[in-house]
Amino acid sequence: MDTGGLHAETSDAVLSVRQLRTEFATRHGQVAAVSDVSFDVRPGETVALVGESGSGKTVTALSIMHLLESTGSIAGGEVIFEGRDIAHLEEREMRSLRGEKIAMIFQDPSTCLDPLFTVEHQLAEMLHLHRDITDAEARTRALELLRHVGMPDAEARLDTYQHKLSGGQRQRVMIAMALALSPSLLIADEPTTALDVTVQAQILDLLRTLADETGAAILFVTHDLGVVAEMADRVVVMYAGQVIEQGRVREVLKTPQHPYTAALLNSMPGNAAMTGQRLEAIDGSVPSLFNMPHACRFAPRCKHAFDRCTVEPPPVHELGSDRNARCWLSDPSESWRRQPAEVST
Amino acid sequence: MTQLIVKRLLSGLLALFLIATFLFFVMRSVPGDAIDIQLAESGLSEERITEVKDEMGLNDPILEQYADWASGIVRLDFGDSLVRDESVLDIILRRLPVTLELSFLAIALSLAFGPIVGMLSAIRRGKPSDAILRVGSIVGLSIPNFLVGVLMITYLSEWFGYSVPIGYQEFWESPWVNLQQMILPAIALALSVGAATARMTRSSMLEVLGTDYIRTVRAKGADERMINTRHAFKNSLIPVLTLVGLQFGGLLGGTVILEAMFSLPGLGSQVFEAVRTRDYPLIQAAALVYGAMFILVNIMVDLAYGWIDPRIRAS
Ligand SMILES: Nc1ncnc2c1ncn2[C@@H]1O[C@H](COP(=O)(O)OP(=O)(O)OP(=O)(O)O)[C@@H](O)[C@H]1O
Ligand SMILES: [Mg+2]
C-alpha cells in the first residue's frame, strides 16, 4: 500500500495518520477540507502541524478526536492510535479514549470552559468520567493538578468560575484537565494564539515541561514557525488540505524543500530580520475548497512553478529518513532541475 | 446581586406609580359613570345626587382626587367599590388567592414541560420527533387561550361526558375538586407560555451545543446524555428565564378571561365584571395588583438568574 510516502515504521508511533481525507457536507456538495494527510507522532515527541489559515490543521486535529461537527466525517485513510485504526471507531469506544488516552486543548481558552461550573467541577468531571473515585479524592487531585500547572492561589481557584480567571489561567486549567489522566497524546490546537505574548511564552514553557514529565507526545498545531522552532522535534507543513513537506524541525527550517515552506519562512518577521531578507508575504491566497487546482495546489502562487506543476500532481518524494516533500522540484532523481531554496537560516 | 435586586425593586415601584397615575387619569376621562347610572336609577332628587357625589369627593378638583387616591394606596386603602358594598381591599384579598393559584399552576405546568420539550427537540434536531414538537409548539403559540378553554369545555363534555365540578372549592377544603376546577384553565394558559419556552430552549440549546465549552466536555470523553443534560441544558436556560418573566404578563391577562369562562371567583373574573360596571376603584386597584405581580415575578427571575449564572451572582 502506498502510505502517502511516509516510510517510518508505524509500529513505534503513538499516532500514525495515513492518507487522511475528511469531508464536509455543504450546500454546494461534499468538499474535502483535508484530502491527503500522513504523518507520525512517536512517544514523547512533539510534532508541529503548521500552515496558513484554512490549510486544514484544525480539521485534521478534530478528525483524530472524532470531534468534527455533524456535517464532517472521515472519508478515507487511517488514524492509527497505539496500533489500532480508530478512524471509524464506535463513539462509545472513542469516548473512553478521549481524555484518557488522547486529550486536547484549544485555541481560545476564554470560550472553552463552561461558564456555569466551577474550576473544581470541571477538573473533577474529567477524573470521574474515567476513574472510580470519590468527590473528596477528586477535589484533592484537582488541587494537585492546579498547583502542578502553576496556578497561583490554587486552593481558592478551585471554587471560582472561568470569568474570574485570566486567559493564561484558563489555559492552565485546560492543560491541567488535559493532562489529568496522563494521556499518551496531547493535541494542542494553537493553544497560545489567543494569549498575550508574555503569557504565550509561559504557557509554551509549561506545556514543554509537563510533556517531558508525563511523557505525553504532543501534536502541536500552530501557524507560527517561531513557535515550531522552539517547541517541536518534527514539523509537518500543510497546504490546502495536504501535507506538502515534513521532517525534523532543524532541517526543514534550514533547508526547506517545498517552495511553500520557503515562502512561509520568508513571511516570518523574525526570520527575515535575522537573515537580512526582505519580509515577503506569500502572494495570492489559499485556493477555495470548491476550486482546487487539480495538479499542484500551490502552483498558482509558486514562484518556481513550471509547466509540469499545473498538469500533473506532484508525488510525495522521500528525502532521507523522516523527510519528504510534495513538489516536482524535490524529486531526488531529477536534482538537475532543483533550484536553490530561497531561505538560508 | 443584592444591589441588583434592590435596583429592580425600586424601578418596579416607580413603574407601579406610573401605572397607577396613568390609570387614574385615563379612567376619569372615560365618559359614562357608575355613580351617575346608579344614582339616576335610585330615583333621588338632583340635589341629593350632588350631595352624595360631594360626600364621595367626586366633585373635588381632579388633582385633589388624585392626591387622595394616591395617599390611600400607600396605606393600602383603595377606597370602596362603587358597585359592591365592600372595600376594594377586601374584594382583592378575597379574590387574589384564586388568581395566584391559577397563575402559579399555569407557570409550573409550562416550566415542567416547555424546557424539556425544547431540549428533546434540540437533541433530535431534524428528526421526525423534532418536527412534530416544533409544529406542536407553533400550534400552542398561535391558538388563543380562550379558544383552548372553549374547546376543552365543549369537547370534554361531548366526548367524555366530563364537566368541571360546579361551585368553587378552595384547595384546603377539598384539594381534589379544586384541582379539577383549576387544571383546565391552567393548561389553557400554560400552553402558549410552554410553547414559547420550548421554542426558546430549542434554539438556545442548539446554539449552546455548538460552543467551544461543549466541545471541551466532549473532548473529555463525556457521553451525550451528560453533555445535554448537565452542561448544555443548564446553559440554554438563561435566555429562557427572561422570556418566562415577560410571558408572565400575557399569562396574567389570560387569567381574566379564563377565570370568567371557568367561573373561578378570582380577581380576573371580578375585573371582567368591574369593567362592565365601570367600577373604577376596583379596576385601578386590580391593575396595580397585576402590575405588582408582574414585577415580583420578574424579580424572582432575576434571583433565578443569579442562582444559575455565577457571572450575574457576582455582579
Ligand atoms: N464545518 C465545516 N464545514 C465546511 N467547511 C469547513 C468546516 N470546517 C472547516 N472547513 C473548511 O476546512 C478548511 C480547513 O479549515 P481548518 O479550520 O482546519 O483550517 P486551519 O488550518 O485550522 O486554519 P486556522 O489557522 O484559521 O485555524 C477551511 O477551508 C474551512 O473553510
Ligand atoms: Mg485552526
Side-chain angles (χ1 to χ4, degrees):
Chain A
M1 190 192 76
D2 179 8
T3 57
L6 206 100
H7 70 163
E9 289 294 313
T10 53
S11 53
D12 65 337
V14 200
L15 175 75
S16 286
V17 177
R18 287 285 167 272
Q19 292 173 300
L20 178 69
R21 178 180 178 88
T22 298
E23 294 183 354
F24 286 97
T26 71
R27 261 181 299 151
H28 313 285
Q30 290 284 117
V31 289
V34 162
S35 42
D36 186 4
V37 166
S38 302
F39 62 86
D40 278 359
V41 181
R42 298 193 196 104
E45 182 185 47
T46 297
V47 172
L49 199 55
V50 295
E52 277 172 295
S53 189
S55 52
K57 308 182 293 292
T58 298
V59 171
T60 303
L62 294 178
S63 302
I64 298 167
M65 290 291 279
H66 287 212
L67 285 179
L68 294 164
E69 290 171 44
S70 57
T71 53
S73 60
I74 297 180
E78 295 164 35
V79 176
I80 298 158
F81 178 75
E82 294 188 335
R84 89 178 148 150
D85 186 3
I86 61 168
H88 301 284
L89 203 62
E90 261 181 65
E91 176 60 19
R92 194 175 45 79
E93 287 185 76
M94 205 55 220
R95 275 204 297 274
S96 62
L97 286 183
R98 281 193 214 115
E100 165 94 58
K101 294 281 182 190
I102 317 176
M104 184 159 181
I105 59 178
F106 304 92
Q107 178 165 353
D108 186 359
S110 66
T111 58
C112 283
L113 290 165
D114 190 323
L116 305 188
F117 292 88
T118 60
V119 166
E120 181 200 348
H121 183 108
Q122 299 188 55
L123 283 170
E125 190 171 70
M126 182 67 136
L127 302 168
H128 284 304
L129 275 168
H130 301 277
R131 300 277 187 277
D132 200 10
I133 57 170
T134 65
D135 289 349
E137 286 165 347
R139 185 176 167 93
T140 314
R141 180 82 183 109
L143 180 58
E144 270 172 34
L145 286 165
L146 277 192
R147 293 214 169 106
H148 207 67
V149 295
M151 179 70 88
D153 204 3
E155 184 131 28
R157 294 284 187 270
L158 274 182
D159 300 312
T160 50
Y161 295 87
Q162 62 109 30
H163 71 274
K164 296 270 186 154
L165 302 177
S166 71
Q169 290 171 341
R170 288 175 189 150
Q171 200 59 294
R172 281 176 203 270
V173 173
M174 288 297 291
I175 293 171
M177 209 151 74
L179 295 177
L181 303 172
S182 310
S184 35
L185 176 66
L186 171 67
I187 301 178
D189 188 357
E190 309 206 31
T192 60
T193 311
L195 303 175
D196 292 344
V197 186
T198 47
V199 182
Q200 277 187 19
Q202 293 168 9
I203 295 293
L204 289 179
D205 248 13
L206 177 68
L207 271 177
R208 214 170 17 207
T209 325
L210 290 181
D212 281 352
E213 251 173 54
T214 61
I218 304 185
L219 178 61
F220 194 95
V221 176
T222 177
H223 54 244
D224 185 345
L225 284 173
V227 171
V228 171
E230 218 171 294
M231 290 290 294
D233 304 304
R234 288 189 307 114
V235 56
V236 176
V237 186
M238 284 189 68
Y239 183 78
Q242 296 178 325
V243 171
I244 51 96
E245 174 163 10
Q246 62 181 306
R248 284 194 196 74
V249 169
R250 236 180 317 137
E251 290 170 25
V252 172
L253 297 191
K254 196 163 180 197
T255 53
Q257 291 300 308
H258 196 290
Y260 175 65
T261 315
L264 263 189
L265 282 164
N266 277 336
S267 68
M268 270 176 60
N271 199 52
M274 222 153 57
T275 57
Q277 285 180 338
R278 211 159 50 80
L279 181 63
E280 287 176 62
I282 309 177
D283 288 334
S285 54
V286 186
S288 144
L289 295 182
F290 295 99
N291 193 17
M292 262 318 155
H294 70 277
C296 173
R297 297 184 168 186
F298 187 59
R301 301 170 74 186
C302 182
K303 283 194 239 161
H304 307 286
F306 57 103
D307 40 7
R308 193 174 190 183
C309 300
T310 55
V311 183
E312 201 180 340
V316 175
H317 292 115
E318 292 302 331
L319 308 164
S321 82
D322 271 0
R323 185 85 203 270
N324 64 43
R326 191 192 292 270
C327 176
W328 287 117
L329 293 175
S330 59
D331 186 346
S333 60
E334 289 195 61
S335 47
W336 54 271
R337 271 196 196 276
R338 191 103 139 255
Q339 307 195 7
E342 290 245 318
V343 158
S344 48
T345 357
Chain B
M1 190 69 200
T2 341
Q3 214 179 353
L4 180 79
I5 298 300
V6 169
K7 232 174 18 196
R8 286 294 152 91
L9 269 173
L10 288 179
S11 66
L13 285 176
L14 178 68
L16 278 181
F17 170 75
L18 292 176
I19 298 171
T21 309
F22 176 77
L23 275 168
F24 180 86
F25 288 105
V26 166
M27 295 302 284
R28 289 307 140 110
S29 55
V30 177
D33 187 315
I35 294 296
D36 288 341
I37 299 169
Q38 277 182 9
L39 293 181
E41 284 169 356
S42 65
L44 291 173
S45 67
E46 285 285 319
E47 285 148 35
R48 183 63 193 135
I49 288 180
T50 324
E51 260 177 51
V52 170
K53 289 183 86 171
D54 268 346
E55 275 165 30
M56 297 177 82
L58 289 175
N59 291 331
D60 293 344
I62 189 129
L63 282 179
E64 209 167 295
Q65 290 188 38
Y66 172 67
D68 277 354
W69 186 69
S71 68
I73 291 178
V74 179
R75 287 175 278 118
L76 283 183
D77 174 7
F78 301 98
D80 292 333
S81 162
L82 299 184
V83 180
R84 292 173 168 253
D85 200 13
E86 214 177 347
S87 84
V88 169
L89 184 63
D90 285 345
I91 298 183
I92 287 178
L93 288 180
R94 186 159 43 80
R95 293 275 188 154
L96 189 57
V98 178
T99 302
L100 286 179
E101 188 190 340
L102 179 61
S103 7
F104 174 78
L105 206 58
I107 281 287
L109 278 174
S110 38
L111 289 185
F113 293 105
I116 301 279
V117 166
M119 176 176 79
L120 291 177
S121 199
I123 295 171
R124 294 176 175 38
R125 177 186 201 175
K127 304 225 172 86
S129 49
D130 174 31
I132 292 169
L133 291 175
R134 286 176 75 189
V135 170
S137 55
I138 291 177
V139 171
L141 260 182
S142 48
I143 295 190
N145 46 32
F146 62 84
L147 186 59
V148 178
V150 171
L151 293 176
M152 280 174 163
I153 292 173
T154 324
Y155 284 100
L156 281 180
S157 76
E158 185 132 311
W159 291 346
F160 303 104
Y162 175 86
S163 56
V164 180
I166 309 170
Y168 179 71
Q169 300 274 311
E170 281 176 24
F171 184 74
W172 50 83
E173 281 169 5
S174 71
W176 178 235
V177 175
N178 175 276
L179 275 184
Q180 285 186 61
Q181 292 169 328
M182 285 286 187
I183 197 72
L184 293 181
I187 290 174
L189 288 170
L191 218 53
S192 67
V193 182
T197 42
R199 283 171 63 83
M200 178 63 104
T201 310
R202 179 183 185 273
S203 68
S204 133
M205 177 110 173
L206 286 177
E207 196 180 311
V208 169
L209 282 174
T211 59
D212 289 351
Y213 55 84
I214 293 298
R215 187 182 57 192
T216 303
V217 182
R218 207 163 262 141
K220 285 170 160 179
D223 58 18
E224 291 305 306
R225 209 178 53 126
M226 178 162 159
I227 291 167
N228 288 326
T229 55
R230 197 178 299 172
H231 291 273
F233 186 54
K234 194 172 178 189
N235 274 284
S236 68
L237 282 184
I238 293 169
V240 176
L241 275 177
T242 318
L243 180 83
V244 170
L246 295 176
Q247 290 272 322
F248 187 69
L251 191 142
L252 279 180
T255 59
V256 173
I257 293 185
L258 282 154
E259 280 176 20
M261 194 176 268
F262 284 83
S263 318
L264 294 176
L267 190 55
S269 47
Q270 183 69 73
V271 166
F272 197 76
E273 188 194 312
V275 167
R276 224 164 21 82
T277 56
R278 302 234 159 86
D279 194 346
Y280 302 142
L282 186 54
I283 296 175
Q284 283 166 188
L288 274 184
V289 169
Y290 285 128
M293 279 170 76
F294 181 76
I295 287 161
L296 274 179
V297 162
N298 278 280
I299 287 173
M300 274 151 61
V301 165
D302 286 338
L303 284 171
Y305 263 134
W307 177 57
I308 291 190
D309 192 341
R311 288 163 295 192
I312 293 171
R313 203 179 313 149
S315 67

